[in-house]
Amino acid sequence: SPPNLLSSRFLQALVPDSSFVFVVRHPIAVSCATQKWSATRPHELLAHWARAHRIAMADVSHLRSVMLVRYEDLIAAPDTVLGGVFRFVGLVDHAPGRRTEEGVNADNFAGDRTPWASVNEQYFERWQRRKASPLKRAYLALVEARYERFARAFGYGLRDRAVFAPRDPLVARLLDHARSWEVTFW
């Protein structure tokens, strides 16, 4: 959540030997999910996503131990990503063999612990349906153009909804699954 994302330096001051695992998700999915609880417009939601992530990445150089996980990578390869997270925090992965299903979790993970691969699709479809009128299509095209570059820094496309290698070298390093999973800045 943004409050936690923005509190890492404070939390590290409270617990100096802490480690941080930031989970990021496609900005359109985050914006559409957030809009269910607020009357905020899409451009404001994407601006909030960009600002929160910009601040978090600026804070990274002040953190002792930090890891970045893209939600989409977690869903695509839960054993690989969670195994890395467990190693990062010094734990043994006690439950390998996770499977991913297609669809959407109906109970918000309370009773069904299955990762659902197509969970972002409902948000992408909702975003696309908003483009039915010419005025909203023009508005959303401007919003996508405004935040496309920053989203691509994290490996997200707003116009094509793609997930790819991040353009920002720091983000790429924090996401690099081939490394030791611990990035030390001090």
Side-chain angles (χ1 to χ4, degrees), residues 9-126:
R9 290 173 71 178
F10 169 73
L11 293 170
Q12 182 174 267
L14 290 176
V15 184
D17 62 342
S18 57
S19 294
F20 296 89
V21 178
F22 293 140
V23 179
V24 297
R25 187 174 183 185
H26 197 289
I28 287 177
V30 171
S31 296
C32 287
T34 304
Q35 198 166 39
K36 291 187 295 189
W37 296 291
S38 73
T40 312
R41 306 246 346 224
H43 73 278
E44 295 168 315
L45 292 166
L46 285 176
H48 185 264
W49 186 94
R51 177 109 171 104
H53 287 75
R54 198 175 279 123
I55 291 169
M57 290 301 100
D59 287 348
V60 161
S61 65
H62 300 280
L63 303 176
R64 288 196 180 107
S65 181
V66 62
M67 174 183 188
L68 186 65
V69 171
R70 279 193 304 202
Y71 177 79
E72 295 78 10
D73 296 337
L74 172 63
I75 295 304
D79 276 343
T80 301
V81 174
L82 288 174
V85 171
F86 281 114
R87 283 190 304 278
F88 173 71
V89 297
L91 298 173
V92 174
D93 184 355
H94 64 282
R98 297 166 189 89
R99 60 182 171 63
T100 302
E101 300 287 337
E102 290 298 319
V104 177
N105 185 308
D107 66 4
N108 201 20
F109 219 57
D112 181 0
R113 313 280 305 164
T114 305
W116 294 89
S118 54
V119 70
N120 279 354
E121 291 306 313
Q122 67 179 326
Y123 298 120
F124 295 157
E125 289 168 10
R126 185 180 305 161

Side-chain angles (χ1 to χ4, degrees), residues 161-179:
R161 319 297 180 266
V163 177
F164 46 83
R167 300 266 169 92
D168 183 278
L170 174 60
V171 172
R173 194 170 83 198
L174 292 173
L175 284 171
D176 187 1
H177 295 283
R179 292 174 53 91

Side-chain angles (χ1 to χ4, degrees), residues 111-185:
D112 181 0
R113 313 280 305 164
T114 305
W116 294 89
S118 54
V119 70
N120 279 354
E121 291 306 313
Q122 67 179 326
Y123 298 120
F124 295 157
E125 289 168 10
R126 185 180 305 161
W127 187 268
Q128 199 60 35
R129 282 193 307 269
R130 290 177 175 161
K131 294 181 176 184
S133 78
L135 187 58
K136 287 185 180 177
R137 188 170 36 255
Y139 162 69
L140 290 174
L142 288 171
V143 170
E144 291 168 349
R146 169 69 176 90
Y147 295 102
E148 181 78 20
R149 185 171 181 214
F150 189 75
R152 286 189 175 275
F154 283 83
Y156 294 119
L158 298 181
R159 294 180 187 139
D160 58 8
R161 319 297 180 266
V163 177
F164 46 83
R167 300 266 169 92
D168 183 278
L170 174 60
V171 172
R173 194 170 83 198
L174 292 173
L175 284 171
D176 187 1
H177 295 283
R179 292 174 53 91
S180 68
W181 290 95
E182 183 155 354
V183 179
T184 304
F185 290 96

